[in-house]
Amino acid sequence: MDVATGPQLRAARNGLGWSIEYLSECSNVSVRTIIRYEDAEGVPPNRSGNLAALIATLEIAGIEFIGTPDDGPGIRIRAPKTSS
């Protein structure tokens, strides 16, 4: 998925049991940006590729973003992706 809402990002991070600081470390996105994105009502702006980096990091950890921003946005937690 190329987009995710603020609530989806927060749910994904919490679903993994990750702190904002840990997600920041894994994604190379600042804590301040993550807080701002998680507080966004809809899809946060993807400046400098930060949203894409967060989504990719969470997906590798096993998060599947489901629905669309306007219709049933949510997450599924799966086994983390492994490189073959």
Side-chain angles (χ1 to χ4, degrees):
M1 174 178 261
D2 295 338
V3 296
T5 65
Q8 279 178 297
L9 293 171
R10 186 180 314 104
R13 181 179 58 76
N14 286 326
L16 293 169
W18 288 7
S19 67
I20 292 175
E21 292 79 10
Y22 185 73
L23 178 55
S24 173
E25 183 180 310
C26 292
S27 64
N28 291 316
V29 175
S30 75
V31 167
R32 191 173 163 131
T33 297
I34 294 170
I35 291 169
R36 191 173 64 250
Y37 280 17
E38 287 186 358
D39 286 342
E41 289 291 321
V43 177
N46 190 15
R47 293 190 187 106
S48 305
N50 289 331
L51 181 59
L54 290 172
I55 291 170
T57 299
L58 292 164
E59 287 178 337
I60 289 168
I63 296 296
E64 179 184 351
F65 292 95
I66 59 174
T68 66
D70 298 323
D71 185 25
I75 65 163
R76 243 184 231 121
I77 302 172
R78 304 219 183 248
K81 294 181 181 178
T82 58
S83 50
S84 303

